[in-house]
Amino acid sequence: MALRSDAFRGQISTSGRIGVVVLSNFMVSTQRFRCLVALVCAGLFASLLATVVVEAPAGAESQDLSVVPQLEVEVVADNLSIPWDLAVTPDGTVLFTERRGRLKVVRRDGTVQRVRANLNDLFVAGESGLLGLVLSPDFAETRRFYTCQAAVAPDRQIQVVGWTIDDDYQRATRFANPLVADIPLTFGRHGGCRLRFGSDAQLYIATGDSAVSEHPQSLTSLGGKVLRVDPLTGEGSVGNPFVSSANADTRRIYTYGHRNLQGLALRPGTDQMWSVEHGPSTDDEVNLLVPGGNYGWDPGPGYDEGVPMTDLEKFPDAVEAKWATGSTTLALSGGIFIDGRNWGTLDGTFAVAALKAQSLRFLRFDAQGNLEQLTVSPELNNTFGRLRTPMMGEDGAFYLTTANGSNDKILKITPTGAPVGEVSKIRRNKGKVRVTGWAIDPNRSQTAVKIRVTIDGELVVTKKARRIREDLVERFPGVAPRHGFSFKVDVPEGRHRICVEAVDIGPRKGDPVTMRCKRVTVPAS
């Protein structure tokens, strides 16, 4: 079932140690729900609670997402003009396109340099120009990469071009000119043009319908499709759903019935390819691609943008979106799966950028693709304007482009944040004190946190929080259950100040975080 949200307005208010998230309406099919989710955790820190806006599936239990890492944002390049797509090479160089027709790199020292490339046939208008870019899986050996771009000749169209680049990133030369041609384009609208490789080393190409109503449902048109092709020949790949067709274009088709695809992303460790798609005035979509699937866009006759994005009345077997934005579009753009243990509870989520909404969302899906939770990043919510393309780097960070039209930027995003937790008990027990609670480091959510106990400022014991707490798995999807602790500490007679601390084991390596202190009197035995 497709999850749709009516609106995306959320606020967080914090007071002392209390954080409250106020959610908007949510709708599944035609049923509407109003959700109010309160994240109340004694012992958590207001600064961390204030770092997340949450949108949860309708009817789902409230989720406490206070263990989501904070994000550190660094500008690695600025004064750009709509950097549309980017890739991080094995040596850490960022290769990127600018829509108006420039291929550039950000070197490891931060220098931005233009790459010489023959783009004399480029067509730049509306949404079209020099757009998608992807490295070949064997880039380190072959120096090959691919672009998706609008071309003026022989007829106005979208083409996929194969390139090689020299070792010093000075010049790019075409080796497949083009690899795939005749993807329809009219006046520059709905060009699509995202490129990504699958786990099978085949090239996936996301196209737009060029605002022509016949294209999405036609199996002889390359418009409004996801194509899957051999990266050396451009021919339809073995195993494609229509590979036995006599028509060469039909053999390239992997899925159809799309409006204007903006994002493609391979889910790590699987063969799942996901897409992000612009809706008309409703229902931007996130889809899990199914070979041969019809995704239900059919605006004909004419070009009626009032029809459903996924028209289940006309196409009962159409593939429904795994998530859709509902009655208001956000202009979703690129997406990438976050991959790395340093991302803690965000590891494995699908990061989706939004142009109109000027924000970044982290969506967590289960193995079958059902939405479990959605988190809006406050660090990237209306702070850098329109956001276009996220991409993971070799360094464990992810990179993000803006699309404001002037002084655009490439951002580097890394996780940070201190451990969080709560201490439910500091209780005297026959000359000892029992401390009980839990602790999680947002950046190492599968690793046991060290717990320190001090008496009057002096460290007396360090133990790991690795007691099974099944309730934590329910509260914090994506974390391991072994984050609880309960142990006794010898305390001398008299009145003492006992504090329980969590040790920062993440990349921040900050000072231990005090979770709770209590004065306890131990009588003479």
Side-chain angles (χ1 to χ4, degrees):
M1 176 164 27
L3 173 69
R4 295 183 171 89
S5 164
D6 274 339
F8 295 94
R9 299 185 183 90
Q11 323 181 311
I12 290 185
S13 62
T14 59
S15 175
R17 295 183 178 183
I18 305 298
V20 178
V21 177
V22 181
L23 303 183
S24 303
N25 298 342
F26 290 88
M27 178 176 69
V28 176
S29 298
T30 58
Q31 294 181 318
R32 295 175 182 267
F33 298 84
R34 184 171 296 275
C35 302
L36 176 65
V37 177
L39 306 182
V40 182
C41 256
L44 296 182
F45 310 100
S47 63
L48 189 56
L49 280 166
T51 66
V52 61
V53 180
V54 181
E55 295 159 4
E61 294 184 1
S62 303
Q63 303 281 2
D64 186 339
L65 296 179
S66 55
V67 295
V68 172
Q70 294 172 311
L71 302 183
E72 184 176 289
V73 182
E74 174 189 354
V75 177
V76 298
D78 57 9
N79 294 315
L80 307 176
S81 177
I82 309 185
W84 206 94
D85 208 352
L86 78 165
V88 184
T89 71
D91 65 15
T93 301
V94 179
L95 178 65
F96 67 97
T97 58
E98 285 184 317
R99 190 173 70 186
R100 65 181 180 178
R102 292 178 178 174
L103 184 66
K104 293 182 176 180
V105 293
V106 183
R107 295 186 177 276
R108 295 180 65 183
D109 64 2
T111 303
V112 178
Q113 175 187 306
R114 189 168 180 177
V115 178
R116 295 193 298 273
N118 181 1
L119 293 167
N120 292 337
D121 59 347
L122 191 70
F123 172 75
V124 181
E127 303 164 7
S128 296
L130 182 59
L131 305 178
L133 180 148
V134 69
L135 302 181
S136 175
D138 60 358
F139 176 84
E141 293 78 35
T142 66
R143 308 291 292 181
R144 286 178 176 170
F145 69 96
Y146 299 83
T147 58
C148 186
Q149 57 199 65
V152 295
D155 299 309
R156 190 178 298 168
Q157 60 183 256
I158 296 290
Q159 296 182 346
V160 177
V161 177
W163 304 80
T164 58
I165 193 167
D166 61 13
D167 290 343
D168 199 33
Y169 299 97
Q170 297 283 344
R171 180 183 294 277
T173 305
R174 301 188 187 202
F175 77 86
N177 187 29
L179 180 75
V180 178
D182 297 322
I183 301 170
L185 181 68
T186 52
F187 47 87
R189 189 174 180 222
H190 294 189
C193 240
R194 190 70 71 178
L195 304 175
R196 292 295 181 258
F197 275 90
S199 60
D200 51 11
Q202 298 300 286
L203 180 60
Y204 290 71
I205 305 165
T207 75
D209 66 4
S210 67
V212 175
S213 61
E214 295 80 14
H215 288 165
Q217 294 297 322
S218 170
L219 294 181
T220 59
S221 169
L222 298 181
K225 309 294 190 300
V226 174
L227 313 177
R228 177 173 171 266
V229 304
D230 185 302
L232 296 179
T233 66
E235 297 297 323
S237 299
V238 174
N240 276 2
F242 309 108
V243 73
S244 61
S245 172
N247 185 291
D249 285 343
T250 305
R251 293 196 296 269
R252 295 184 173 103
I253 295 172
Y254 190 71
T255 62
Y256 65 103
H258 298 286
R259 180 177 179 270
N260 189 21
L261 289 153
Q262 294 289 295
L264 286 175
L266 176 67
R267 191 173 193 175
T270 76
D271 59 0
Q272 293 181 0
M273 185 65 73
W274 290 67
S275 69
V276 183
E277 187 168 354
H278 277 177
S281 59
T282 63
D283 287 334
D284 292 338
E285 292 184 347
V286 173
N287 285 297
L288 173 57
L289 299 182
V290 179
N294 180 359
Y295 286 76
W297 174 247
D298 186 16
Y303 195 74
D304 179 7
E305 299 203 67
V307 303
M309 266 291 279
T310 304
D311 195 335
L312 294 174
E313 290 188 7
K314 187 178 289 187
F315 308 107
D317 294 330
V319 182
E320 292 190 70
K322 292 301 183 181
W323 181 67
T325 59
S327 61
T328 301
T329 59
L330 308 177
L332 299 180
S333 187
I336 191 72
F337 280 94
I338 300 299
D339 187 21
R341 291 182 60 192
N342 60 311
W343 287 92
T345 49
L346 291 178
D347 185 19
T349 59
F350 191 38
V352 182
L355 295 163
K356 183 171 69 174
Q358 301 186 9
S359 53
L360 186 81
R361 283 160 172 73
F362 294 96
L363 288 75
R364 179 173 294 282
F365 296 97
D366 66 16
Q368 291 71 45
N370 302 305
L371 182 68
E372 293 183 330
Q373 68 187 38
L374 187 157
T375 308
V376 181
S377 164
E379 296 92 344
L380 296 164
N381 190 16
N382 293 302
T383 50
F384 290 94
R386 294 162 62 87
L387 304 180
R388 169 77 67 183
T389 301
M391 174 58 64
M392 290 301 298
E394 297 285 331
D395 53 1
F398 81 81
Y399 293 76
L400 180 65
T401 68
T402 71
N404 299 305
S406 63
N407 193 24
D408 279 313
K409 299 173 174 61
I410 296 176
L411 310 173
K412 180 180 179 180
I413 318 296
T414 51
T416 184
V420 296
E422 65 182 359
V423 179
S424 56
K425 292 179 184 178
I426 300 180
R427 181 176 296 174
R428 192 184 70 212
N429 186 354
K430 297 181 180 180
K432 296 179 183 289
V433 170
R434 177 172 289 279
V435 296
T436 302
W438 60 266
I440 300 173
D441 191 305
N443 307 116
R444 293 287 188 271
S445 60
Q446 305 300 311
T447 304
V449 172
K450 291 181 180 179
I451 303 300
R452 295 167 28 125
V453 177
T454 64
I455 299 177
D456 301 327
E458 296 294 325
L459 176 66
V460 294
V461 67
T462 300
K463 290 182 177 291
K464 285 190 175 182
R466 51 188 176 192
R467 187 170 183 170
I468 292 178
R469 289 276 301 263
E470 295 294 347
D471 60 311
L472 297 181
V473 179
E474 298 176 5
R475 292 172 67 179
F476 309 127
V479 307
R482 292 183 177 272
H483 287 291
F485 61 87
S486 183
F487 55 87
K488 292 180 181 179
V489 181
D490 290 321
V491 181
E493 64 183 60
R495 186 167 177 78
H496 303 281
R497 187 171 188 263
I498 299 176
C499 293
V500 182
E501 303 173 340
V503 177
D504 190 342
I505 60 174
R508 197 181 70 109
K509 291 293 188 292
D511 294 332
V513 175
T514 301
M515 295 189 290
R516 186 180 176 186
C517 293
K518 184 179 180 179
R519 292 198 175 274
V520 175
T521 300
V522 177
S525 56

